[in-house]
Amino acid sequence: MNTENPGCLTGAARAVALVVVLPVRLVWEALAFCLRQLWRWILAPVGRALGWLLHHLLLVPLRWLWEWLLLPVGKALWWAVDLLLVTPLTWLWRYVLGPVRRFVGAALAWAWRIAGQVSRAVGRMVRRVLWHTIGRPLVWAYRVVLTPVGHWLRAWVWEPLAAAGRAVRAAAREVRAALFGGPR
């Protein structure tokens, strides 16, 4: 290769690099240097100082408040609530309300059972009354009145009508056979 006589594209690339790339790269490097110095000398020390202040002015007093005031007061409060509220309510439920609940439940179950027996007895009585006042007369009317009427209708009305219908159908078959020939 000939390094003494560069081509036209090499010269154009060097010109673009000198005019465009070099200034952008210099600005980028300057900005990066400024930001590193800003972080190193200002932001990091301020952040460490704020962290130290937050830890020593907020977290340490809150931890002391929790460990020495709230936690023992909380334990004492829980002990007082347990002694004054939970224990009496437990005793009340176990020895008073629980047995009353079981007694009331047993009484309601007994009353429900008795009500079922009474309602079945009333139902049987109503069924007998309805049978004797409505059912038996209807059965008597069916056996004594409607059955003989039905037999008379069958013997004197339906059977003659059926015989007449059979005769009409037979005559119609004969007429059709005479007019149109035998069955198809």
Side-chain angles (χ1 to χ4, degrees), residues 65-147:
L65 181 70
W66 173 256
E67 289 177 358
W68 292 98
L69 289 178
L70 296 178
L71 190 60
V73 169
K75 287 181 181 178
L77 180 65
W78 173 248
W79 180 79
V81 166
D82 184 48
L83 183 67
L84 298 174
L85 191 65
V86 174
T87 302
L89 288 178
T90 303
W91 181 87
L92 179 69
W93 176 257
R94 185 175 296 152
Y95 297 110
V96 177
L97 297 178
V100 167
R101 177 186 58 91
R102 286 190 296 275
F103 175 75
V104 168
L108 286 175
W110 176 80
W112 188 262
R113 200 168 37 252
I114 295 300
Q117 292 172 355
V118 167
S119 68
R120 280 192 298 276
V122 168
R124 284 191 299 269
M125 182 189 67
V126 167
R127 188 181 74 216
R128 285 186 182 179
V129 166
L130 289 176
W131 169 250
H132 289 296
T133 58
I134 297 172
R136 286 185 108 174
L138 286 178
V139 167
W140 177 85
Y142 180 79
R143 284 185 187 157
V144 173
V145 176
L146 294 178
T147 301

Side-chain angles (χ1 to χ4, degrees), residues 139-164:
V139 167
W140 177 85
Y142 180 79
R143 284 185 187 157
V144 173
V145 176
L146 294 178
T147 301
V149 168
H151 289 295
W152 181 83
L153 284 173
R154 184 179 64 210
W156 294 98
V157 175
W158 183 252
E159 287 180 2
L161 284 176

